[in-house]
Amino acid sequence: MPLSSPTLDKFRTLLRPRKPEQPAVKANIDKHESSASGLPSDPQSANLEALSISNAKLDYSTGDSASSQRPVSRMSDLDVLHARLSNAHLLAHHQFELHPAGGVSYKPHPPGPNRHERQPSHSLLPHIYPSPDAQGPGLLELTRREIERFRSLAVPSALCCIQRQNDDLAQYLINFESLNEGAANAVFSVRSDQGVIRTGGFLFVAVTDAGNTATTIPSHMVADKVLRVSKGLPKSMRSEVIVDGFMADVRPLFVSHLASAKGQTLEDIDLDKHLMAHLPVVLFDEAMSALQKMVPAICPLKDTAQFGILLPNMSTVTGQNVTFEIKPKWLAQSPNAPPEAIRCRTCALQFSRGKGTPVDYICPLRLSHEGAAVDSDMAQIRRWATNALSLQINKDKNAHLPQGTALETLVDRVVAYFTSGDGRTLLLHLKKLQETLDSEGILQRYAHPRDDFNFIYDLRLAMTLRDCSLFVVVPISGGGIISKLADLDFKSAEKVDDWRDKETALVNEGWYVKNPEAHGVCLLAPKTLT
């Protein structure tokens, strides 16, 4: 049975060409992800954002001190990334494992002797760790219609959502609630139906054997997640393509087998804990119909079953935490910005829109600045953290603080997290990736001859990292802050012209340099304005 489809063949990234003079460094990406809920199971074991500066300044040079006891690397930062991506493409066929407590782990599946092409990551059966208190049936029989839909996907196995009316399936039943709707996707919370008297509902099953075997999955193993479903817009990528690109093209930028306590280089830094597990799930007709009733803008596929993506639920939990979202954007200046620029790329674009500066806005360069922090920088960061938390508490009914909990306490911890803790480590890594993958800028594509495939591939990765989100979960009563990156869909090459036009307008229309008295929040603004 083929492990590909016309859609995957269209969007799949080709295996990156290797430079013959550079030795390939293969990275083993057999890694375990943290709890899929995004929250630590044991608050005492969480990474505390104490005022330690061990990660405040990362040395990304490929040469390390003698104390590291590792040979000096002869590879550039870009070659290091290319080696990891090439190896990830060979191991892009992954199995994911669901644990009873909600955790998720990935295990790469090397291609066999007769398989030489890259395998789609969405096509492997999830391994389900048995729950000790599981009762009831373990296997279900799919209907003929469900089997036909499954076989139309041309995958050997998959996680699927089906509907049943059996009374003895109570511990497996779940329901969906609309959580958020964006321009291209809708997001639904997944909730367990245990304790609710129902005559039937939806459940997840692991399907294999050409659709002849379906293993039931207890609801508590998926009830801490959200389901993301594409609306089916003409230029939007399917969910299975998104999962494939995340596993093979994006995730390797953050995961390394060489990680150590002193992980300071692109070769050995490991930030897997900041990534959300992407679990592909097949949604059969009844599930798609129920979701479409809640979000009518969803347009289901007509000729085949549709994939969705299960992700950690990063929502605020009343009395336990406050979650807010930030957009890191361009953590380094655009390579195409004029030398005399008084605004960074993000601030220039914000200024060009003429809508003023939101109260929770902060110049990204202030969060990724690697020089010594001055009082004005800390004041800006503190003001941003205060406004971001305050806005979230005011607009989210679940985010109110218990009596006796001071907002300033949470602000202190957020400031420490982004100035000397794990948050700073992550942002500096994002900055380094952006700089390494796009050192010339989109406008240089047309300035002189180059390997256009490699240039565009690297640019797409850089722009993916410049358009992601970061969910920050701040526990109220102690424990470490948790942050997870979201919206890491690998950008399509169809966006290249848009990126060129936007950058051209910012440069030619003077948004980087004009009206120095306006929009003075940027780190690059004249000091008299800040």
Side-chain angles (χ1 to χ4, degrees), residues 21-42:
E21 70 274 11
Q22 295 289 357
V25 176
K26 291 190 175 181
N28 180 0
I29 54 175
D30 182 358
K31 298 296 296 181
H32 293 278
E33 300 217 354
S34 57
S35 174
S37 65
L39 299 175
S41 56
D42 178 9

Side-chain angles (χ1 to χ4, degrees), residues 210-524:
N212 295 317
T213 302
T215 306
T216 53
I217 297 174
S219 59
H220 70 268
M221 296 175 69
V222 292
D224 61 344
K225 297 175 176 57
V226 297
L227 175 67
R228 172 180 153 179
V229 180
S230 171
K231 289 184 176 181
L233 300 179
K235 291 187 178 181
S236 60
M237 289 189 292
R238 293 188 181 184
S239 296
E240 63 268 35
V241 180
I242 291 172
V243 172
D244 192 44
F246 172 79
M247 292 302 300
D249 299 300
V250 177
R251 187 171 178 264
L253 300 175
F254 298 86
V255 180
S256 171
H257 75 301
L258 297 175
S260 64
K262 295 183 178 180
Q264 302 289 307
T265 73
L266 281 180
E267 287 183 275
D268 61 16
I269 195 166
D270 194 306
L271 297 170
D272 193 41
K273 64 184 178 181
H274 295 290
L275 300 179
M276 293 188 182
H278 285 51
L279 307 185
V281 56
V282 178
L283 304 168
F284 288 124
D285 296 346
E286 295 83 0
M288 285 304 301
S289 178
L291 298 175
Q292 190 180 27
K293 287 181 180 178
M294 288 183 276
V295 181
I298 293 177
C299 296
L301 299 175
K302 295 181 179 180
D303 301 325
T304 184
Q306 184 162 331
F307 275 90
I309 306 174
L310 284 175
L311 298 164
N313 190 342
M314 304 298 291
S315 302
T316 292
V317 179
T318 303
Q320 296 185 24
N321 60 58
V322 176
T323 299
F324 68 96
E325 178 185 0
I326 68 173
K327 298 279 192 180
K329 294 297 183 180
W330 292 57
L331 293 163
Q333 175 65 297
S334 168
N336 298 133
E340 67 276 16
I342 59 173
R343 295 182 192 91
C344 69
R345 170 58 164 72
T346 306
C347 287
L349 182 62
Q350 181 71 27
F351 182 39
S352 72
R353 291 171 174 168
K355 297 181 180 180
T357 304
V359 295
D360 60 339
Y361 179 87
I362 186 170
C363 171
L365 301 192
R366 294 190 184 277
L367 293 176
S368 62
H369 182 48
E370 298 184 61
V374 297
D375 291 344
S376 60
D377 293 330
M378 294 301 294
Q380 291 268 11
I381 294 174
R382 187 170 192 84
R383 186 181 305 115
W384 159 75
T386 301
N387 291 336
L389 284 168
S390 298
L391 284 174
Q392 188 63 34
I393 291 172
N394 290 334
K395 74 178 183 180
D396 189 341
K397 63 181 181 180
N398 296 320
H400 63 272
L401 299 180
Q403 187 174 3
T405 302
L407 176 63
E408 286 301 306
T409 301
L410 273 62
V411 171
D412 289 341
R413 297 169 62 206
V414 171
V415 171
Y417 186 75
F418 284 106
T419 57
S420 60
D422 284 351
R424 179 164 176 79
T425 303
L426 174 62
L427 294 184
L428 290 181
H429 183 66
L430 277 173
K431 174 185 178 180
K432 185 63 178 179
L433 291 176
Q434 293 176 8
E435 291 177 319
T436 303
L437 292 165
D438 180 23
S439 61
E440 298 180 72
I442 179 63
L443 301 186
Q444 288 301 309
R445 178 192 182 192
Y446 313 95
H448 50 81
R450 66 186 66 250
D451 182 343
D452 197 58
F453 173 81
N454 282 350
F455 182 88
I456 295 301
Y457 177 88
D458 292 343
L459 178 65
R460 291 168 59 200
L461 280 175
M463 297 302 287
T464 299
L465 301 175
R466 289 164 173 160
D467 197 32
C468 64
S469 299
L470 182 66
F471 286 93
V472 184
V473 182
V474 187
I476 292 175
S477 59
I481 290 178
I482 301 294
S483 64
K484 296 275 187 181
L485 290 167
D487 301 326
L488 284 171
D489 302 356
F490 188 25
K491 297 294 185 184
S492 168
E494 294 179 357
K495 294 182 177 291
V496 170
D497 288 343
D498 292 338
W499 297 333
R500 177 200 60 199
D501 293 344
K502 187 173 293 184
E503 189 68 25
T504 299
L506 291 175
V507 173
N508 292 348
E509 295 174 17
W511 295 109
Y512 281 107
V513 297
K514 67 181 178 182
N515 298 347
E517 69 281 357
H519 196 82
V521 299
C522 187
L523 179 69
L524 302 182

Side-chain angles (χ1 to χ4, degrees), residues 30-84:
D30 182 358
K31 298 296 296 181
H32 293 278
E33 300 217 354
S34 57
S35 174
S37 65
L39 299 175
S41 56
D42 178 9
Q44 300 301 320
S45 65
N47 292 318
L48 298 179
E49 66 282 4
L51 297 177
S52 166
I53 60 172
S54 60
N55 288 326
K57 296 181 179 179
L58 297 183
D59 178 12
Y60 278 98
S61 61
T62 53
D64 228 349
S65 63
S67 62
S68 67
Q69 298 182 353
R70 287 195 288 109
V72 176
S73 172
R74 297 180 180 179
M75 301 177 70
S76 69
D77 286 337
L78 189 59
D79 287 329
V80 168
L81 294 181
H82 287 178
R84 291 171 67 172

